[in-house]
Amino acid sequence: MNKKSGIVAYVVMTVFLVAFVACSSETEAIPVPPTATPAIQQPQPTTPPTQPVVEPTQPVLEPTEPIASPTQPVATPSKPTVEPTQPIEVELPSVSGTVTYRQKIALGPNAVVIVRLLDTSRADAPSITVGEQVIESPGQVPVSFVIEYDPDDIDDRFSYTVRAEIREDDRLLFTTTSTYPVITRDNPNKVDLVLEQVVLQVPIPDELFFEYTFVTDAEGWTTGFADLPVNWPPELYELEGEYRQLPTGLVGGGIYLPGHNRSDDLFMYVKKQVSGLAPEAEYRIEFSLDLATNVPGGLMGIGGSPGESVYVKGGATTSEPVASDDGKGLLVLNVDKGFQSNSGDEMVAIGNVTHPEVAAEEFKIKTLDNGFSPLTAVADKNGQLWLIAGTDSGFEGLTGFYFTGIRFHLTIIE
């Protein structure tokens, strides 16, 4: 071995010894088993641990559809549109008919007709309403009605009826008092109802006064003619009956009644129905009539005087005064009025149309009454009575006058 080789060997040995000494020192401080894994230092509290990056084992797939821009609205999946179906109209069965009453009374504008279809099978229970119709401002009778009903509400074993009533301002005026069965048990679906008037139970005075002055109109009085041919020629009889203003010199109005007596016995009259009396009660009748006439006394004429032979009469009757064919071609009044100057049971003669102060063609007012001719009349079952006044002429010429005032005083006879 040469010198150079010896030096190298010396150096290597020295390094080895140093390394061996170092390792021995460390082994004595921290003994580590040969198979132990190196210890992992705990992270410091102030330093967050570094998360290891895990490489994906699967390849990342690129999206095949473009990602919508954030500014574009995201479309909501639409629901299928359902077209609305049209309702099927089913025609329901119905009960129909009319509502009326016998009285000649007009309904007011506030009248209401109420018709009900009722289940009346249970004798010990209230009726059940199956259907109803309310008719406001129905006009005048007869009034038509139609009430539809559900056939499921009908039991063939049960009984059904129709009832009706008429009210005005919450007051019951008319109602059904008879039974009108319908629908089941071979009964019809169409009925005509006849209602009865409801009489209010209010105190009835022993005396009633009726006064009419005709200042602006006829106040419900109407005119009529009797004791002439059924087919009387208008141009010959010259009959009129209307409300007019009074002639010059008089103030106000009156009911004008002119007529040419060509039948030897012409009767011209006015009539009006009054109410508020005790039903079927007998009354003593006192009345006075005001006439505007232009006939002086003492005149002569065909068949009689134009003044003294035109007789004024008044009275009252249960039935409406009506002139009808007597079967012989004459219109005859259904009131016992007597003949010309004679009185009847329902009308009495109280004077004539002459006025002692009439001059020329001027009209003057004349007042007549039945103070010396007593008269009685009976009200009908509804507490109504017809008043009547007129002239019974024996003068075969033209007569014309005005009724300017009518007053009746009725006193019940106990």
Side-chain angles (χ1 to χ4, degrees), residues 200-210 275-279 281-284 379 383 409-414:
L200 299 178
Q201 299 299 321
V202 296
I204 297 176
D206 293 337
E207 293 182 285
L208 290 170
F209 295 87
F210 300 94
S275 58
L277 287 70
E282 185 177 15
Y283 284 85
R284 181 172 65 252
H409 176 201
L410 280 59
T411 305
I412 196 168
I413 298 175
E414 300 295 343

Side-chain angles (χ1 to χ4, degrees), residues 128-178:
I128 300 174
T129 300
V130 179
E132 178 182 275
Q133 184 179 15
V134 178
I135 307 170
E136 298 181 352
S137 301
Q140 304 307 320
V141 295
V143 178
S144 299
F145 70 89
V146 177
I147 303 176
E148 293 184 340
Y149 61 87
D150 189 338
D152 293 338
D153 294 335
I154 302 300
D155 190 322
D156 291 338
R157 301 169 300 171
F158 292 175
S159 299
Y160 300 89
T161 60
V162 178
R163 295 177 185 169
E165 61 185 36
I166 301 177
R167 293 180 174 271
E168 185 172 7
D169 298 327
D170 295 329
R171 291 185 300 109
L172 181 61
L173 302 181
F174 299 89
T175 187
T176 45
T177 57
S178 300

Side-chain angles (χ1 to χ4, degrees), residues 214-253:
F214 309 123
V215 175
T216 58
D217 56 40
E219 300 186 47
W221 288 80
T222 58
T223 62
F225 304 91
D227 298 337
L228 73 165
V230 173
N231 299 315
W232 52 271
E235 68 278 4
L236 294 181
Y237 280 82
E238 303 178 70
L239 303 179
E240 294 184 47
E242 61 182 4
Y243 175 82
R244 288 186 182 182
Q245 291 298 307
L246 297 178
T248 303
L250 299 177
V251 177

Side-chain angles (χ1 to χ4, degrees), residues 77-96:
S78 61
K79 296 181 180 180
T81 303
V82 179
E83 292 294 334
T85 58
Q86 295 294 329
I88 300 175
E89 295 185 0
V90 179
E91 184 175 352
L92 295 175
S94 63
V95 170
S96 62

